[in-house]
Amino acid sequence: MTQTVGFVGAGRMGGAIAKRIAADPAWEVFVYDPSAEALSRFEGTRARIAAAPREIAERCTYVVSSLPLPEDVDRLYSAAGIVAALHPGSVVVDLSTIDPYTGRRAAAAVEAAGATFVASPLGMGPRQAADGTLPLYLGGSSDALERAAAVLVAISKNQYVIGGVEQAYAAKLAINYVSMSNLAVLLEGFGIGAAAGIDRDLLCTLMQDGGARSFQSDVRLPWIIAGDFAPRFGIDLAQKDMRLAIDLAARYHAPAATGAAALQHFSSAQRAGLGGSDVGALWHVVGTNGSAKPA
Amino acid sequence: MTQTVGFVGAGRMGGAIAKRIAADPAWEVFVYDPSAEALSRFEGTRARIAAAPREIAERCTYVVSSLPLPEDVDRLYSAAGIVAALHPGSVVVDLSTIDPYTGRRAAAAVEAAGATFVASPLGMGPRQAADGTLPLYLGGSSDALERAAAVLVAISKNQYVIGGVEQAYAAKLAINYVSMSNLAVLLEGFGIGAAAGIDRDLLCTLMQDGGARSFQSDVRLPWIIAGDFAPRFGIDLAQKDMRLAIDLAARYHAPAATGAAALQHFSSAQRAGLGGSDVGALWHVVGTNGSAKPA
């Protein structure tokens, strides 16, 4: 018996997941995206294009949303969105990286319609989305997680049950906060070493071998040194995640001064027109050319 | 034929290195430290206690300094210090983490006395000092490095040749800048997650498995969660390294806003009386107790 799943948002992450599931004949897959270019990537696959999010709510047991902004999630799970079209018994899984408050509102709207809501923001990037090894940060009641189990396993078996819906979104924001701040810190430190005239490949090795080591120094720094800024995770999204994490910290009365300074670099990169580039392009606003010789 | 090496500064790092070399009968080892407690740790070893740094300069071919502050290095390698007592042909190796300007001055004073100067700030911590796997960040002319080779190999075979004296010190500052800023960022992010009510062991796993991963999340975060603040690398030294790195960035006209925010946490920890604790104790000033519930 085939099951129906529809994706609202078929960008870099949602699109890669939808494409992988569409290759499995056990699933009938629908996709909606406002971008014709995003949809064109489904030519030659088994996935069917939906005309609107509402069509997905009407035709699918599982509704998966993967949207860039909290405002997008708010709109989708509202009266003006798909809430009225959900069947009782439908299962909604939201993969977006958003604040816990918006997530709680979306969950309440979906549950009021008699459907089930699971938060499942995603770790890592498009490569892991395509090969099914993405970390899923799951939030929801145990009943909701059970109802969503079939589609969650189809997305990835690498699952972390974080707690409630709010906790799942908060965990994702905390992770991205650290990851993106580590990148800003790494580029500042690399800039100091480069300005001192240290060979860049050697400096890369130094940042990978000792106490400075991080995911960013292991994975992203070699791309940056090679001048490869192809988007895996874009500056616009990172800036949004940092902004949401810092707002969350303030609501919790928690310190976030270091990340708040890192956020300024992401905003500078946006002003420099780099919003669509990989976050590695932060180097263009943080990096120095070593021309200033020390006194 | 035994060779003579003297250590000026026998603290957590210099002391561990001196003790290891003293176990090798090929070396005659002298140690000086102003702290009687530091010297008491050499009871029962082959190392001999020197009454003053000048005695080490007079009796040893190799002079190794491992001092906390640039001011200490400045004083040691001055007319009032040991410079007049160095033999032509003596080899000085400085392991301290200091700014490149002070390092350049020390090297010039030593070279003016007809001796050789090599900068060799150290990576990692006391455990690696004791087992001889410390990364050495070497700076000096190839002639100087050759003259120092015997003692450098005795300290550690894990050697990186960075460039000149200034580059070696700058590399070390850049590495510690990233490492210590990563710690500040990690604790801020961990605080957000903890305030959201996420289980701390789970949160630790999340910080180790994905984009947030770093040396600090792998190695230090478990100590912090276990409440283990035994000093491996102390807050006073980290604060000094951050201060020097940020000053260096400013001289290079390089951005260091993120690290400058991290520095404030280290200074706060000092004001809270935590200067002698491991840097993990930064948690006491950055961590939240999760008592503030979000609106």
Side-chain angles (χ1 to χ4, degrees), chain A residues 14 27 42 54 66 79 85 99 119 162 174 176 194 204-205 219 227 273:
Chain A
W27 288 93
F42 288 88
R54 181 173 289 266
S66 181
D99 64 277
I162 307 297
N176 275 24
C204 180
T205 301
V219 174

Side-chain angles (χ1 to χ4, degrees), chain A residues 3-4 6 11 22 26 38-39 43 52 70 107 129 133-134 138 148 153 155 179 181 190 210 222 225 236 238 269 279:
Chain A
Q3 306 216 63
T4 49
L39 293 177
E43 274 170 33
T133 62
L134 276 181
L138 298 173
V153 163
I155 295 171
S179 175
S181 298
F190 194 88
I225 292 173
D236 281 339
V279 288

Side-chain angles (χ1 to χ4, degrees), chain A residues 139-165:
Chain A
S141 66
S142 51
D143 179 61
L145 293 174
E146 202 171 299
R147 285 169 195 265
V151 73
L152 293 174
V153 163
I155 295 171
S156 173
K157 294 190 182 71
N158 185 11
Q159 303 180 4
Y160 296 91
V161 178
I162 307 297
V165 164

Side-chain angles (χ1 to χ4, degrees), chain A residues 101 124 135 137 160-163 166-168 170-171 173-193 195-199 202-203 205-207 209-216 218-219 245-246 248-249 251-263 265 285-288 292-295, chain B residues 101 124 135 137 160-163 166-168 170-171 173-193 195-199 202-203 205-207 209-216 218-219 245-246 248-249 251-263 265 285-288 292-295:
Chain A
Y101 313 103
M124 311 303 283
Y137 305 118
Y160 296 91
V161 178
I162 307 297
E166 292 94 332
Q167 274 84 42
L173 289 179
I175 291 166
N176 275 24
Y177 178 87
V178 172
S179 175
M180 290 299 106
S181 298
N182 279 354
L183 175 64
V185 156
L186 174 65
L187 295 182
E188 286 181 352
F190 194 88
I192 293 171
I198 301 164
D199 175 80
L202 172 60
L203 202 45
T205 301
L206 297 177
M207 293 296 175
D209 278 5
R213 177 170 54 81
S214 68
F215 174 87
Q216 298 298 348
D218 283 347
V219 174
I246 289 162
L248 191 59
R251 289 176 189 244
Y252 291 153
H253 315 168
T258 312
L263 170 61
H265 292 317
V285 296
V286 176
T288 59
K293 278 291 154 227
Chain B
Y101 313 104
M124 309 305 283
Y137 305 119
Y160 296 91
V161 178
I162 308 296
E166 291 93 331
Q167 273 82 42
L173 289 179
I175 291 166
N176 276 22
Y177 177 86
V178 172
S179 175
M180 290 300 106
S181 299
N182 279 354
L183 175 63
V185 156
L186 175 63
L187 295 182
E188 288 182 350
F190 194 87
I192 294 171
I198 300 165
D199 175 81
L202 172 60
L203 202 46
T205 302
L206 297 177
M207 292 296 173
D209 277 6
R213 178 169 53 80
S214 68
F215 174 87
Q216 298 299 347
D218 283 348
V219 174
I246 290 163
L248 191 59
R251 289 177 189 243
Y252 291 152
H253 314 168
T258 311
L263 171 60
H265 292 316
V285 296
V286 176
T288 59
K293 281 288 155 231

